[in-house]
Amino acid sequence: VRRAIRQIQTERKLEELAAAQAARDKLPASDWAAEKLKQAKAAGITDGTRPRGFATREEVALMVAAGKK
């Protein structure tokens, strides 16, 4: 029973984290980063979506490669 309760609690925490990240993804860029983000978008380094969201290593690798062109 304890194991089942822990599993349910873990699943709830994961759902809460996913919801928080989804909300964060919708936030606009911070004032201090907005101009550089605009430049990176113009240079084709990023598409500008999810400016406050987390990036995976895969996404970062693509942005670094695009920045080196």
Side-chain angles (χ1 to χ4, degrees), residues 11-47:
E11 288 173 5
R12 286 183 183 162
K13 286 179 185 177
L14 289 173
E15 289 171 1
E16 290 173 11
L17 288 171
Q21 182 59 44
R24 182 184 176 100
D25 284 351
K26 295 176 185 174
L27 294 173
S30 300
D31 291 341
W32 60 267
E35 184 58 33
K36 293 293 182 184
L37 180 64
K38 183 178 175 183
Q39 291 172 8
K41 188 176 174 184
I45 296 170
T46 181
D47 62 6

